[in-house]
Structure formats: C-alpha cells, structure tokens
Amino acid sequence: MLCRSCAGWLRSLPTLRLRAPGSPPAWNSARLPALPVWAAASVSAASPGDWYEALAASAPVRTAEEVLLGAQEATGLPWWGNIILSTVALRGAVTLPLAAYQHYILAKVENLQPEIKDIAKRLNQEVAVCARQFGWSKRVARLTYLKNMRRLVSELYVRDNCHPFKATVLVWVQLPMWVFISVALRNLSTGATRSDAGISVQEQLAAGGTLWFPDLTAVDSTWILPVSVGVVNLLIVEIFALQKIGTSRFQMYVTNFVRAVSVLMIPVAATVPSALVLYWLCSSLMGLAQNLLLRSPGFRQLCRIPPSKSDSETPYRDLSAAFCAKFLSRKQ
C-alpha cells in the first residue's frame, strides 16, 4: 500500500509546471511594476562620478562621525587612543554578540545533520518505490526528491529555529559598519567635518598620532600599519581554514579569494590616512580575538551555544598543532 507521504507527492505533481529548455520565462510577459518615486529619483540623481560623495554625506556616515567626535570629547583621549577605544567598544558591543549568535545557529544546524541524513536516506528509498510503481522518469523522481527534501529540511529549521540565513546577520551588520566608520574617518582626516566648537578636526588628527605615525592625516611611510593589517587578516583566514575539514572546491576558491583580498589591502592601506589604517588594524585584531574567544568551551557555554560534534576540549592546543603541521612541517 502506498504511504501517505507518497500520495501527497502524487497530488502535488500536477501543480508542477516545468518550463521547456529555451522557452521564455513566464514573467517576461507580465508588466514589471514601476519604481517608486523616491527610488527613481535617487537612481536618476546618482551618477558613477558622485557615488562616493553621496556615501560620504549620507546619514549613517554622519552618525559615525558624531559617535567618534562624541567619544573623543567624552574621554579626552588623543585621537589614536579614541580610535582604538571606539573600535574595541563597537566590536565588543555589536559584533561580538552577533558572532556568538552566529555560532549558536551554526551549532544547531550542525546538530541537525545526522537527522537530515537519515531523512534523506528514507526519502530516497520511498521515491524509488514510487518511481518503480508509477513509472516515473529519472527527472521526475529527482525533482520529487529535491522538492520534498527541501520542504522537510525547512520544517526542521523552523522546528529548531535555526535557519542558516540567520547566521549571516553578522556580515550584514559588520560590513556596513566598517564602511561607514572608514568613510567617516576619511572625512575627518581630509577636513570635510568640523567639531561643534568650530575647531578643525583635521588639525586635531594631524597632532593626534603616536610612535611612528604622529600625523593621522598622513599615510604611514614606514608601511608598518599596512603590512600589519594584511598579516592579521591573513592570520584570520588561515585560522578559519584550519578548522575546516574536507573543504569543497568552492570553499577553497573562496578562501583563496579572501587571501588575495587580504594581500591587496596592504598597498591600499599604504595610500590612505593613518587614521583609517589604525582603525582597520584594530578592527582586524578584534576580529582575531573574537574568533579565538568563540573557540573557548567556557565562553561557548556562557553564551549557551549548544555543544556540537566539531567542538574540542582543547581548541587552542589543536589549533597550534594544526598550524605547525600545515606550515612548519613543509620547511622540514
């Protein structure tokens, strides 16, 4: 007797409308909705030459400038200390909780993998039975399997409230914040912004450096800051790559792309004011510390991240051993 789930698939099959190869999609014949007035105005007003000016004058960048100026006035620190303190505070208050939430979601998704594999095995067997009984082609059987597998996996994600897309919230917050603060610091360094007292912030930044970069509005001629940014970013990439076992070809391509971006950041950082590079370096160091902290079993337990199969009781020892095996063993 045919199982009830297979019967449900049969009822759903007539609703599938497969498009023949080469035929135009159905939405081509429908009239596309017009853009809203505000969207059309922004598109027509923007041109390739002034997109940066629009970004530099945007509300998020102005807010970032106010945060930096407010922090400097509240603490009275020199600008190099204000940049470091503001970076640590923002990364600790915003991105660290989001990173912990990301690991929480990923741990729950990892713990679902055995159940997903078991469902996939049983579903494959049931689809094979239905295909033989009703004479389905391989294409129909495959489409039926994929459609129901997606539905069942989505139900598991809803049941455990752990859809993988939620793990991307960190990227959607961290990347815009990094861009807005970088543009805000560039505005302050080029004299595009003045404080409420009318004092030029550019003059304050010019005298607000330390050590080998006393002028935060000038580039770092020693290349110490740019090279440090590249090295720290590469270290983050390698730590992330070491924890991946059995990486796919696509993941390898992504890792190599991020490596290339980290290296290209060095000459880019050598052409911008030192205030930006100092922020980039502090942000990268916080990202490295955040990555290491979220490996700690005690911190993961404090954040209520569910234990998973990939967890280790000695994560730092394992990381050191993997690093030595990958890089130091090649030299021997």
Side-chain angles (χ1 to χ4, degrees):
M1 181 176 293
L2 185 63
C3 62
R4 286 184 293 177
S5 60
C6 291
W9 300 338
L10 290 175
R11 287 194 299 269
S12 65
L13 282 177
T15 63
L16 292 174
R17 297 179 179 178
L18 300 178
R19 182 168 56 91
S23 61
W27 48 266
N28 277 349
S29 59
R31 184 177 181 181
L32 295 176
L35 285 173
V37 175
W38 62 268
S42 61
V43 171
S44 60
S47 63
D50 62 0
W51 66 268
Y52 180 81
E53 287 74 9
L55 174 63
S58 63
V61 172
R62 295 303 183 190
T63 301
E65 293 175 2
E66 294 175 1
V67 170
L68 292 170
L69 291 172
Q72 202 277 334
E73 294 175 2
T75 61
L77 292 172
W79 267 100
W80 67 268
N82 178 46
I83 292 174
I84 295 176
L85 179 63
S86 300
T87 304
V88 172
L90 287 173
R91 291 296 299 254
V94 178
T95 62
L96 180 58
L98 291 177
Y101 179 71
Q102 180 189 56
H103 281 250
Y104 172 82
I105 295 296
L106 293 177
K108 297 184 74 172
V109 171
E110 181 180 350
N111 292 335
L112 280 177
Q113 295 310 306
E115 188 174 354
I116 291 176
K117 291 181 180 179
D118 182 65
I119 291 176
K121 182 179 179 180
R122 290 188 286 109
L123 181 61
N124 191 35
Q125 294 174 351
E126 293 187 4
V127 170
V129 171
C130 292
R132 286 193 301 267
Q133 184 173 356
F134 297 99
W136 291 349
S137 65
K138 291 183 178 181
R139 178 179 176 82
V140 172
R142 182 66 176 171
L143 290 174
T144 304
Y145 170 81
L146 293 176
K147 176 182 177 181
N148 286 276
M149 191 64 199
R150 284 194 295 266
R151 176 179 59 82
L152 293 172
V153 171
S154 297
E155 290 176 357
L156 290 180
Y157 289 154
V158 172
R159 184 196 70 186
D160 289 3
N161 193 21
C162 63
H163 196 284
F165 184 77
K166 294 182 178 181
T168 65
V169 175
L170 174 63
V171 177
W172 298 114
V173 174
Q174 180 174 317
L175 184 58
M177 185 174 71
W178 184 86
V179 172
F180 295 148
I181 295 178
S182 297
V183 177
L185 283 171
R186 186 174 181 84
N187 286 349
L188 298 175
S189 301
T190 57
T193 304
R194 306 182 72 87
S195 64
D196 294 337
I199 304 175
S200 173
V201 182
Q202 184 181 22
E203 296 177 0
Q204 298 178 5
L205 285 168
T210 185
L211 299 177
W212 68 90
F213 52 98
D215 185 356
L216 291 176
T217 64
V219 300
D220 182 8
S221 59
T222 66
W223 282 59
I224 296 178
L225 288 177
V227 172
S228 299
V229 171
V231 170
V232 174
N233 286 334
L234 280 175
L235 187 58
I236 294 174
V237 174
E238 297 306 327
I239 290 176
F240 180 78
L242 287 175
Q243 68 184 2
K244 294 295 183 181
I245 301 177
T247 55
S248 64
R249 180 174 298 181
F250 175 76
Q251 291 173 331
M252 183 180 64
Y253 289 155
V254 172
T255 302
N256 290 334
F257 173 77
V258 178
R259 287 192 182 109
V261 172
S262 300
V263 174
L264 289 175
M265 281 292 292
I266 296 177
V268 172
T271 61
V272 298
S274 297
L276 273 77
V277 191
L278 179 62
Y279 165 66
W280 293 350
L281 178 59
C282 294
S283 181
S284 297
L285 287 172
M286 282 296 296
L288 177 62
Q290 175 180 290
N291 192 310
L292 296 175
L293 182 61
L294 285 168
R295 289 172 173 266
S296 169
F299 187 77
R300 292 176 69 89
Q301 185 177 4
L302 179 65
C303 297
R304 298 182 179 181
I305 300 175
S308 59
K309 186 178 179 180
S310 61
D311 289 350
S312 172
E313 295 295 331
T314 58
Y316 305 118
R317 185 185 306 171
D318 297 343
L319 182 62
S320 177
F323 186 87
C324 293
K326 182 176 181 179
F327 297 102
L328 298 184
S329 62
R330 295 179 180 178
K331 299 180 180 181
Q332 298 177 355

